[in-house]
Amino acid sequence: MGNAIAVKVKYVGLHPWEVLNVALYQHFGLTIGTWGVICGLFLILISVFFNRKYINIGTVLNALCIGPIMDLFLRLDILPKATHSWIDYVILLSGIVITGIGGGMYVAAGIGAGPRDGFMLSISEKTGISVIKARIMVESFVLIIGLILRGPVFIATFLYTFIQSPVFHRSLKLFKWLMDSIARRKKAAEDNVAIN
């Protein structure tokens, strides 16, 4: 949903991955979501050789489902439309925040990171750089490719990575903490039952 919201105001700039997906759509057809699936499956293939740790059922489900769900939101036409005013930046910010929180949430669930997040986490782990820096590096590279293909790059594109990456990072930490809290409470409850 966050990605679809952003596409509705794409003239102010999109997230680097969506810049690439929209550029591929404009050049070769299919749908924006279909290109998201193709890019996701490509990253899974790379990760199989680079670091399989972050590939799981959730990785494959993410690669196969996010694009079609995004296309569905765009077809349903229920999201806010571009107003060509300052409100579009608020719309875009909401898309950025929703996407960042959602990313942190599903990675914390532990059933596999999405292909893009798994790739970024693998780079972070292999190089020792922070998750935020790894994400910024990967998304900057993707942005350059999207820019070469003349995707919708504008002011907000450059802000996107620097806003969404910290939101993702904090969301991941928060949801991991929540998952650990739930696990501790469950274990404490099981221990109490065993004692009684």
Side-chain angles (χ1 to χ4, degrees), residues 81-113:
K81 293 177 176 53
T83 64
H84 298 278
S85 71
W86 63 270
I87 293 171
D88 292 346
Y89 289 93
V90 175
I91 293 170
L92 180 65
L93 182 60
S94 70
I96 292 170
V97 170
I98 289 168
T99 304
I101 291 171
M105 185 184 298
Y106 72 74
V107 171
I111 59 167

Side-chain angles (χ1 to χ4, degrees), residues 13-41:
L14 286 176
H15 181 275
W17 284 106
E18 295 314 318
V19 168
L20 179 61
N21 292 337
V22 169
L24 291 167
Y25 159 72
Q26 290 170 344
H27 280 280
F28 304 109
L30 302 176
T31 65
I32 298 167
T34 301
W35 283 109
V37 171
I38 292 168
C39 289
L41 293 175

Side-chain angles (χ1 to χ4, degrees), residues 1-6 8 70 73-74 76-82:
M1 186 172 93
N3 290 339
I5 288 171
K8 292 300 232 175
M70 182 178 143
F73 272 112
L74 291 171
L76 290 176
D77 203 30
I78 59 174
L79 301 174
K81 293 177 176 53

Side-chain angles (χ1 to χ4, degrees), residues 63-143:
L64 295 176
C65 296
I66 296 290
I69 292 170
M70 182 178 143
D71 285 342
L72 175 66
F73 272 112
L74 291 171
R75 270 195 305 276
L76 290 176
D77 203 30
I78 59 174
L79 301 174
K81 293 177 176 53
T83 64
H84 298 278
S85 71
W86 63 270
I87 293 171
D88 292 346
Y89 289 93
V90 175
I91 293 170
L92 180 65
L93 182 60
S94 70
I96 292 170
V97 170
I98 289 168
T99 304
I101 291 171
M105 185 184 298
Y106 72 74
V107 171
I111 59 167
R116 292 153 193 81
D117 295 318
F119 185 68
M120 170 267 304
L121 290 166
S122 295
I123 288 174
S124 173
E125 185 176 296
K126 291 284 188 186
T127 62
I129 62 175
S130 73
V131 174
I132 292 173
K133 286 181 184 173
R135 188 175 192 114
I136 289 170
M137 286 172 41
V138 169
E139 291 177 357
S140 296
F141 178 73
V142 168
L143 178 59

